[in-house]
Amino acid sequence: MVLQKLKYLGKALALFKIFKTYSLTNKDIADADNLAEHLSERKAEFKLILAMANDSIKGRYKIGKLNLGIIVATVVYVISPLDAIPDVVPVLGWVDDVAIIGYALSRLKSEVIKYQKWVAGKKIGIDRSINRVR
């Protein structure tokens, strides 16, 4: 029991070290997008998080540091081989990823709503700088 706790503590410390210094890349987002197929009911929400990250990386959408940190941690956790339950374990390997995504979404609720409004505004052609329709 103690050895198992130490094993998980070691994994948690390794993940923390990665999260603390990590910057998402376009490749990370593409890798995460490919893995999204395994997330069943959280697939659409995870893809939304990926879109937010992608727009932030490209400078199109501004996200606060805390929210961006939550997004980075979520994406890195999903693509990282260092997992509480390794993804090679059928079905169970994705349960922890789905739980992490659910937690991230609960923390990002207001940011997600803001992002969805921003995307909707872009689709109908609202120029936010002068507040009128193009």
Side-chain angles (χ1 to χ4, degrees):
M1 183 75 162
V2 172
L3 290 176
Q4 189 174 14
K5 285 184 180 180
L6 287 174
K7 177 182 162 186
Y8 286 121
L9 179 62
K11 283 184 176 184
L13 289 172
L15 281 171
F16 178 73
K17 200 176 213 180
I18 292 169
F19 295 156
K20 195 168 83 171
T21 60
Y22 202 83
S23 294
L24 281 182
T25 65
N26 289 327
K27 182 185 179 319
D28 293 331
I29 292 174
D31 290 347
D33 192 48
N34 290 333
L35 294 172
E37 298 303 317
H38 302 284
L39 299 173
S40 59
E41 74 272 359
R42 291 287 187 198
K43 178 182 172 182
E45 290 127 331
F46 186 62
K47 287 193 174 245
L48 178 66
I49 289 173
L50 293 177
M52 289 171 67
N54 193 36
D55 284 335
S56 177
I57 287 171
K58 293 183 178 171
R60 296 185 292 234
Y61 183 74
K62 181 83 171 141
I63 299 175
K65 286 185 180 191
L66 177 62
N67 288 341
L68 186 57
I70 292 169
I71 291 170
V72 169
T74 302
V75 172
V76 171
Y77 187 85
V78 169
I79 66 174
S80 174
L82 296 172
D83 235 296
I85 304 172
D87 295 337
V88 294
V89 177
V91 182
L92 287 177
W94 294 99
V95 171
D96 63 325
D97 293 346
V98 169
I100 293 293
I101 293 166
Y103 175 75
L105 287 167
S106 71
R107 296 293 310 264
L108 294 168
K109 191 173 187 170
S110 63
E111 187 70 49
V112 167
I113 292 167
K114 192 169 109 179
Y115 178 74
Q116 288 173 322
K117 287 179 182 177
W118 178 80
V119 169
K122 282 182 58 179
K123 287 183 180 176
I124 62 170
I126 295 174
D127 184 343
R128 298 277 183 213
S129 64
I130 55 175
N131 293 325
R132 67 175 187 223
V133 177
R134 283 186 247 153

